[in-house]
Amino acid sequence: MPVHRVLNVFSRKARQLIKQAIVQHHRRSGVVLFSDTTLRDGEQMPGATLDPDDKLRIAKMLEEVGVHSLDAGFPASSQADVQAIRKMIGVIKKPVLTALCRTVPSDIDAADEALDGLPDHKRGVSLFCGTSPLHREYKLRKSKSETLKLIVEAIRYAAERFEIVAFAPEDSTRTELPYLCQIAREAIEAGATTLGFPDTIGRMTPEKTRDFFRYIQDHVPKIDKVLIAVHFHNDLGLAVANTLAAIQEGANVVQCTVNGIGERGGNAALEEVAMMHEDQYGPVSRIDTTKLVPLCRLVSELTGIPLPPNKAVSGTNMFATEAGIHQDGLLKNPDTYLCYRPEKVGAEGIRLVLGRHSGRRAVAHRLQELGITMTDEQVLEVLNAIKQVPKGTVIDDDVLRQLAEDVKAASA
Ligand code: MN
């Protein structure tokens, strides 16, 4: 283990003031900061193993997209995570790199070593410890006060080595609220700069999320001295909705994964949270949404987890339609049947799929694009032919050309 490094020339008091100033700067800006955990929680999805080079490629793209921090791995648990983090150092410049740690000194030392070489304001630790009755009793076998002591000591140890110290009470949403607030108060006193609240098993709803954060805001007097981070799982399909509810109650940092990958039902999908903001609340994040679809595709390709065609934001069907009325509307004005335009998320463009549900206008449009001139009557005959092809047949350009030729030949 490396000799514990001296943070810098500033006194402990000066460091406290500097940390406070950074937290207050983020809070005042009102910007929602994105913390990506694709490389850590996302990779915990069965079958989604990423090697260090894959992780570096994804990290570069996340940097371009504009995430504020990367949950880069769990150094104490995996040598591959250490390798991935080492590859990022010196290459990934803008986002803060954080490493996951249990509340034990050896994990914090492993993080310190893995993140060595980064400036203090670009490296942090993310400590976690189960705090719910189930976690205390079955995982930790510790009482409330023993658990609290473990947490406070670890935060103090981390704060001597890192300027950025996040603490997350694991399974926070099943932890007794008065106890959770006691932990939060003591974590702030011990030197945490961010408090993260994970909905570890994905049990929350938007309404409960709002009540939960209101309670915390009301019962932790110095909560405004730290950033509030949230981490929702999607077991009830509500991770993104809960993330929105938490932002409305003052969350500053949202933790997400690309494509929502992660354990069980996955995590809040970064691209969905980002678009929900852009579309509904204005650009309150620093995410460049025009790079979202390429990012989603890269993660899908490297993890081997396919994107469902109907995946929000990044699915292949987002800008495709086979329905005649919708095709007609899209041709007249794309906004008639789109939440946002393809260029907004970096997708190719609108795709009119020809099939049984298509209408005359879409067929005429595609024929024209292919340079095939036909009378209105002939277009209708092509449409009739399309409606008669066996179910499941894809009407690609070759099939369309052939059908057009047949119609022309018949009417000649
Ligand atoms: Mn998680």
Side-chain angles (χ1 to χ4, degrees):
M1 287 297 138
V3 181
H4 133 224
R5 29 183 261 154
V6 178
L7 269 180
N8 49 38
V9 297
F10 298 112
S11 66
R12 191 184 164 84
K13 188 89 195 278
R15 290 209 314 267
Q16 286 293 348
L17 291 171
I18 293 167
K19 281 193 220 178
Q20 258 314 301
I22 294 170
V23 168
Q24 292 314 316
H25 163 77
H26 286 315
R27 277 189 156 267
R28 267 197 311 271
S29 72
V31 168
V32 174
L33 305 173
F34 279 70
S35 162
D36 181 86
T37 185
T38 307
L39 305 178
R40 205 272 304 160
D41 206 329
E43 202 210 12
Q44 282 172 228
M45 179 161 172
T49 315
L50 293 163
D51 67 34
D53 284 315
D54 293 340
K55 288 192 177 181
L56 182 63
R57 280 181 71 188
I58 294 170
K60 281 182 186 166
M61 195 117 187
L62 286 164
E63 178 172 41
E64 273 183 49
V65 164
V67 301
H68 175 257
S69 61
L70 293 183
D71 181 6
F74 191 172
S77 88
S78 144
Q79 206 45 44
D81 280 18
V82 173
Q83 283 168 17
I85 292 171
R86 294 310 302 167
K87 277 180 184 281
M88 290 175 209
I89 289 168
V91 180
I92 304 300
K93 303 240 160 103
K94 286 186 210 148
V96 174
L97 298 187
T98 62
L100 191 70
C101 301
R102 287 164 297 188
T103 43
V104 291
S106 55
D107 278 26
I108 298 162
D109 289 339
D112 198 6
E113 196 178 347
L115 294 165
D116 188 39
L118 285 174
D120 289 330
H121 66 290
K122 293 292 181 188
R123 67 201 282 279
V125 272
S126 214
L127 310 181
F128 73 98
C129 179
T131 54
S132 65
L134 279 165
H135 281 237
R136 293 194 312 261
E137 188 179 340
Y138 294 96
K139 246 180 73 179
L140 300 170
R141 299 183 186 280
K142 285 192 190 300
S143 68
K144 277 184 179 174
S145 61
E146 286 166 341
T147 305
L148 185 60
K149 186 165 176 276
L150 184 72
I151 292 167
V152 166
E153 282 173 3
I155 294 172
R156 285 198 188 121
Y157 188 85
E160 289 296 323
R161 288 150 180 83
F162 288 89
E163 281 189 10
I164 298 168
V165 178
F167 172 69
E170 194 186 14
D171 205 17
S172 69
T173 54
R174 286 192 299 183
T175 301
E176 305 91 328
L177 281 168
Y179 178 55
L180 186 67
C181 291
Q182 186 190 2
I183 293 170
R185 288 191 297 268
E186 300 215 14
I188 295 168
E189 288 303 326
T193 53
T194 296
L195 286 183
F197 294 93
D199 184 23
T200 304
I201 57 147
R203 67 177 287 266
M204 293 299 264
T205 64
E207 192 188 17
K208 286 181 178 173
T209 298
R210 298 193 72 149
D211 290 345
F212 177 85
F213 284 103
R214 277 190 198 135
Y215 188 97
I216 291 168
Q217 302 265 20
D218 288 347
H219 292 83
V220 183
K222 289 187 183 166
I223 193 78
D224 61 340
K225 303 284 181 210
V226 294
L227 296 176
I228 298 175
V230 296
H231 175 109
F232 286 100
H233 275 279
N234 207 32
D235 299 68
L236 296 172
L238 291 170
V240 171
N242 291 336
T243 302
L244 171 62
I247 292 169
Q248 288 167 334
E249 292 304 325
N252 313 104
V253 182
V254 293
Q255 198 160 56
C256 302
T257 62
V258 178
N259 300 332
I261 62 171
E263 293 209 73
R264 308 183 313 277
N267 292 61
L270 182 144
E271 65 282 4
E272 294 174 19
V273 176
M275 279 315 293
M276 176 186 71
H277 263 287
E278 186 80 12
D279 187 65
Q280 304 287 323
Y281 301 93
V284 292
S285 76
R286 296 202 183 96
I287 299 295
D288 178 355
T289 63
T290 67
K291 299 198 164 96
L292 288 172
V293 168
L295 171 69
C296 292
R297 288 183 188 158
L298 178 74
V299 169
S300 170
E301 181 201 324
L302 296 180
T303 55
I305 310 287
L307 284 173
N310 61 335
K311 171 72 186 64
V313 183
S314 53
T316 49
N317 286 354
M318 280 306 295
F319 304 103
T321 180
E322 195 191 305
I325 291 169
H326 291 201
Q327 292 182 333
D328 184 49
L330 286 170
L331 286 168
K332 287 171 177 156
N333 180 339
D335 298 327
T336 50
Y337 286 105
L338 289 181
C339 180
Y340 38 83
R341 292 198 179 190
E343 55 270 25
K344 187 87 199 163
V345 291
E348 283 84 8
I350 294 165
R351 201 161 49 88
L352 302 181
V353 181
L354 299 182
R356 289 178 169 197
H357 308 104
S358 302
R360 185 183 51 81
R361 252 185 75 92
V363 174
H365 180 80
R366 190 66 196 146
L367 286 168
Q368 204 187 344
E369 282 180 334
L370 293 173
I372 301 168
T373 338
M374 298 195 101
T375 64
D376 289 353
E377 235 168 52
Q378 287 172 324
V379 170
L380 270 178
E381 283 182 44
V382 173
L383 180 63
N384 279 333
I386 288 172
K387 289 182 190 293
Q388 284 165 40
V389 298
K391 196 180 163 198
T393 309
V394 178
I395 311 293
D396 61 15
D397 290 345
D398 288 343
V399 174
L400 186 63
R401 272 198 199 92
Q402 188 57 53
L403 294 176
E405 259 177 47
D406 293 350
V407 165
K408 277 191 174 176
S411 53

